[in-house]
Amino acid sequence: MKRTHHCNELRPAHAGQTVILDGWVHSRRDLGGLLFIDLRDREGRTQTMCDPTVLPAEMFDRASRLHSESVVRITGRVRVRPEGTTNTRIATGEIEVIVDHLEVLNDAAVLPFSIDDPEIANKVNEELRLQYRYLDLRRPEMAKNLRTRSKVAIAIRSFMDGEGFLEVETPTLFKSTPEGAREFLVPNRREPGTFYALPQSPQQFKQILMVSGVERYFQLARCYRDEDLRADRQPEFTQVDIEMSFIDREDIYALIEGLLKTVWKTALGMDIPAPFKRISFYEALNRWGIDKPDTRFGMELVDFTEEFRTSSFKVFSGAVGAGGVVKAINAKGLAGATQGQIETMTEYAKSFGAKGLAFIKVENGEWKSPIVKFFTPAEKEALTAKLAIQEGDLILFAADQWLTACEILGKIRLYCAEVLKGQGKLTIDPMRFDFLWVVDFPLLSYDKEMNRWYSSHHPFTAPVAEDIPLLKEDPKRVRGQHYDIVVNGVELGGGSIRIHQPDVQKTIFEEILAIPPDETRLRFGYMLEAFRFGAPPHGGIALGFDRLIAILCGTTSIRDVIAFPKTAKGTCLMTDSPGPAAPRQLRDLHIEVKAAPAKA
RNA sequence: GGGGGUGUAGCUCAAUUGGUUAGAGCGCUGCCCUGUCACGGCAGAGGUUACGGGUUCGAGCCCCGCCACUCCCGCCA
């Protein structure tokens, strides 16, 4: 006999029925003569009761010795709980099952950490959770994250299908394209010294699919990057990869806004307003000091370049004289910042090349600052007015070239927000989502050390049409048809309209990026070749699927939404990978290992 | 590659800042308990203080090294 119901199903209406439930022993409360077992499966919990006058003695005895997380099958009769004993905290709390037969399907050993109490389980060391991931995933929070991930993946597929997209799988054995992220290499047994590479993204294949006439492609694509990890970066991750033909940027915006509306509705039952706000890269840097601004709180950057152009404070007037700017933010209520916090912020400033960080603490009606003695009344007035300075504020300055000054204050703004959150002076509604498009990125950036231009995003990004004449005369002013989708300060994805004319692509590769022609041919020859045979105008986008799910689940670590994630060193604590290879495997692959693994 | 944090019982944390036998809650084991749902009560077991050195009369605590986990910078076209 198989189970008749799951553990989140029985209600008072089922009273009197005999049911079979399968599940894990979530908790056991032994009152001596009476024994309660909360049975849990992935749907929920049901209280079962062992009564010695109903349950045969040997089964009762067995039940009293069950460890947590043992797997059992219970047969019993549903009844409404006696007056005053309902549990309003679980959905099945009005009923209980009187056990008349107990079958132990599998005993569980004593657990390395308890998973029945969320308060305790949430604090368990992540190392231990990853080692026993199968136990960690039994926790309702984690199970809920997995479910959200599945629901959203299916909603995305369904939405894209409705929009006429084909899901096409692209190879994960690709070739090395040594620009961009470091790649994982896969040795080729058939030809010594040659390698596949795992793709950083299906970028080139999806563009080829446009040449193939697919017109609308998407894929939940696994991607690989052999770079150092972060809370929001894993060596293998999933992206929602999209490409369309015969479209412009507006089509992408509309598609993604529709997709995200569907996703938010599916996962959170929320209606998010669209269209999303659009800001330029310049505005993002200028107002928030970052190209993925979190606009859920203020503390925007304010410009004082003109006010301090002729200031007697040489650090400021000197920066302006050198073509730079003076900018400031007001960290409201942070005048009580500790020496350590000021130091952390100063370190940020220094990491961008600043000599220090100027600040003003407004305490007891007084401006406490090493630099305030240089300020004229007019300068002070301007600060007070434009920054709305009040008692308890902390004003922080950056005087440098525009980009540097913006980036410094952008970092400090985020740091201040974290400190203020910790002090309870800044609260953000966890159900608030500020979506925005960041557009008009520069197509090219300059590498001073290498003395050459490189693509801000990737070399297939099309320039804004009216800027094409500038490509050769003033590359830095060329805007790319690139767009990023940002939510709450998280870069959710990015994409662009691509170059579809082989001559423009060739110009970018060889004249702008200065890649030698033979290298271009070696690395991208097949693309340029494909583009000769009727490449439609096309563009696309990729969304970080793990980050998307993390945002929906209210966590900042994508490890919480990936079933089996890697540690910061790229290892799997459960399977102990990566590990050594057998000599025979290495021989087959024509590989000789020079440095032996540190551990035996 | 660099910087910060953490590591004490199965788990979560203490240990008066270098001083007697390293404690508590939960879990575990045993006994008691017929309305619990964080059940309750009594008793008990459980420690190479991550690891290796050093300083000291004496180290969980200080110093050096090392390992693991974690956060950040670099990196992530």
Side-chain angles (χ1 to χ4, degrees):
Chain A
M1 287 284 279
K2 290 185 176 172
R3 62 174 160 185
T4 58
H5 297 78
H6 63 66
C7 290
N8 199 21
E9 197 169 357
L10 298 172
R11 297 292 182 273
H14 294 92
Q17 293 185 23
T18 292
V19 298
I20 302 174
L21 299 177
D22 288 349
W24 287 263
V25 175
H26 186 74
S27 65
R28 198 167 49 83
R29 294 177 295 281
D30 188 346
L31 274 60
L34 265 189
L35 177 59
F36 295 96
I37 293 173
D38 280 0
L39 199 63
R40 186 197 74 244
D41 63 17
R42 62 173 222 182
E43 304 298 330
R45 275 160 61 184
T46 300
Q47 172 168 284
T48 69
M49 194 197 76
C50 300
D51 182 334
T53 64
V54 176
L55 192 62
E58 70 276 15
M59 286 188 192
F60 189 90
D61 181 57
R62 190 77 178 82
S64 71
R65 288 184 286 110
L66 278 173
H67 276 147
S68 285
E69 295 303 312
S70 294
V71 183
V72 296
R73 171 166 296 169
I74 275 172
T75 307
R77 195 172 48 79
V78 182
R79 81 164 179 202
V80 176
R81 292 195 192 187
E83 190 82 27
T85 62
T86 61
N87 183 351
T88 53
R89 291 163 57 187
I90 59 175
T92 59
E94 287 179 79
I95 58 90
E96 63 191 353
V97 174
I98 312 301
V99 182
D100 54 41
H101 190 270
L102 169 79
E103 183 183 353
V104 178
L105 301 175
N106 221 338
D107 273 309
V110 174
L111 302 175
F113 58 94
S114 68
I115 64 177
D116 59 334
D117 186 340
E119 294 275 322
I120 294 168
N122 276 335
K123 291 166 76 180
V124 173
N125 190 352
E126 194 174 7
E127 197 175 344
L128 199 69
R129 290 173 48 204
L130 289 176
Q131 189 184 342
Y132 297 95
R133 189 60 158 178
Y134 37 87
L135 293 178
D136 193 36
L137 292 176
R138 283 187 201 167
R139 297 167 47 217
E141 288 100 322
M142 294 301 288
K144 180 164 170 278
N145 290 357
L146 284 188
R147 185 174 293 221
T148 297
R149 188 176 175 116
S150 172
K151 294 281 178 216
V152 170
I154 288 165
I156 288 173
R157 287 199 163 95
S158 167
F159 177 87
M160 296 304 282
D161 178 56
E163 295 288 319
F165 285 77
L166 303 189
E167 181 166 22
V168 182
E169 291 143 282
T170 54
T172 50
L173 289 176
F174 186 37
K175 71 170 186 177
S176 178
T177 54
E179 193 149 327
R182 187 182 295 122
E183 298 165 315
F184 286 98
L185 288 178
V186 181
N188 176 20
R189 174 173 59 83
R190 293 177 185 81
E191 193 179 340
T194 62
F195 298 84
Y196 299 101
L198 304 184
Q200 316 168 28
S201 98
Q203 181 65 33
Q204 295 176 41
F205 283 108
K206 70 176 174 175
Q207 290 193 242
I208 294 287
L209 284 171
M210 295 303 100
V211 184
S212 310
V214 167
E215 296 198 26
R216 291 180 162 226
Y217 144 91
F218 87 102
Q219 182 183 191
L220 294 185
R222 188 62 63 85
C223 305
Y224 306 86
R225 292 179 189 176
D226 186 12
E227 297 291 350
D228 286 346
L229 286 79
R230 290 279 194 286
D232 62 351
R233 287 179 0 201
Q234 285 272 307
E236 55 179 313
F237 61 98
T238 305
Q239 67 183 35
V240 183
D241 199 45
I242 294 170
E243 198 77 6
M244 305 160 77
S245 295
F246 309 113
I247 50 115
D248 58 28
R249 284 177 280 182
E250 294 299 329
D251 297 294
I252 296 282
Y253 301 154
L255 176 79
I256 297 304
E257 284 162 6
L259 176 66
L260 292 178
K261 278 179 90 73
T262 300
V263 165
W264 252 256
K265 189 72 181 176
T266 302
L268 301 174
M270 275 180 78
D271 290 301
I272 54 173
F276 302 157
K277 197 188 296 179
R278 295 178 201 174
I279 60 168
S280 68
F281 171 78
Y282 173 85
E283 185 183 0
L285 262 296
N286 205 45
R287 290 177 62 185
W288 295 279
I290 190 166
D291 62 359
K292 46 177 182 180
D294 188 345
T295 57
R296 291 174 300 169
F297 59 94
M299 232 192 286
E300 287 188 29
L301 280 55
V302 179
D303 189 278
F304 289 97
T305 305
E306 291 316 311
E307 284 82 353
F308 288 107
R309 184 174 290 283
T310 58
S311 175
S312 60
F313 184 44
K314 296 301 179 206
V315 173
F316 285 4
S317 54
V320 177
V325 299
V326 177
K327 285 183 164 285
I329 59 169
N330 182 352
K332 284 237 159 274
L334 207 57
T338 64
Q339 193 58 40
Q341 287 164 342
I342 297 276
E343 254 170 46
T344 301
M345 292 189 270
T346 307
E347 284 310 308
Y348 270 136
K350 285 183 176 167
S351 73
F352 281 92
K355 289 199 173 59
L357 180 72
F359 64 90
I360 300 171
K361 287 180 174 179
V362 184
E363 280 179 313
N364 308 321
E366 199 184 331
W367 286 19
K368 293 180 181 165
S369 163
I371 63 167
V372 77
K373 59 185 178 238
F374 297 107
F375 293 172
T376 66
E379 287 166 350
K380 288 184 191 173
E381 224 168 86
L383 289 171
T384 305
K386 287 173 77 172
L387 287 165
I389 295 177
Q390 292 174 315
E391 173 68 19
D393 290 354
L394 173 67
I395 313 300
L396 296 145
F397 294 89
D400 213 308
Q401 293 302 304
W402 173 78
L403 183 63
T404 306
C406 290
E407 286 179 335
I408 290 170
L409 289 183
K411 282 273 188 200
I412 288 170
R413 173 176 177 268
L414 292 177
Y415 177 80
C416 290
E418 286 308 310
V419 174
L420 287 168
K421 273 187 222 167
Q423 296 178 348
K425 290 174 180 166
L426 174 65
T427 49
I428 295 174
D429 178 358
M431 284 297 116
R432 176 172 172 181
F433 299 96
D434 279 18
F435 293 90
L436 52 94
W437 290 103
V438 180
V439 299
D440 289 339
F441 286 83
L443 183 70
L444 300 159
S445 306
Y446 196 70
D447 185 331
K448 283 177 192 156
E449 286 177 18
M450 301 289 285
N451 193 32
R452 66 179 192 97
W453 293 97
Y454 63 95
S455 298
S456 301
H457 291 96
H458 60 61
F460 314 113
T461 302
V464 170
E466 64 195 78
D467 293 351
I468 289 181
L470 296 169
L471 260 177
K472 287 175 190 171
E473 59 196 59
D474 195 358
K476 72 171 178 298
R477 282 180 53 206
V478 178
R479 291 166 297 167
Q481 293 200 52
H482 181 97
Y483 29 79
D484 273 357
I485 177 76
V486 173
V487 57
N488 296 356
V490 175
E491 183 191 331
L492 198 53
S496 62
I497 300 299
R498 328 294 185 189
I499 298 166
H500 68 282
Q501 310 97 319
D503 54 327
V504 177
Q505 185 69 72
K506 205 158 181 284
T507 303
I508 296 279
F509 280 147
E510 295 180 0
E511 294 184 36
I512 309 298
L513 302 177
I515 304 174
D518 50 339
E519 200 184 329
T520 303
R521 213 172 309 117
L522 204 66
R523 282 159 55 182
F524 306 110
Y526 69 98
M527 275 191 91
L528 293 173
E529 177 77 353
F531 281 18
R532 289 176 57 223
F533 298 105
H538 62 284
I541 193 166
L543 306 181
F545 186 63
D546 308 289
R547 287 183 189 176
L548 174 67
I549 305 302
I551 289 164
L552 294 169
C553 292
T555 175
T556 51
S557 170
I558 63 173
R559 290 189 299 271
D560 286 340
V561 298
I562 295 173
F564 303 105
K566 306 271 191 289
T567 69
K569 284 223 172 109
T571 64
C572 172
L573 296 176
M574 187 179 74
T575 62
D576 201 24
S577 74
R584 171 170 187 158
Q585 290 177 297
L586 293 175
R587 206 163 55 234
D588 281 353
L589 293 169
H590 322 285
I591 286 178
E592 192 181 338
V593 179
K594 294 201 166 169
K599 57 181 175 180

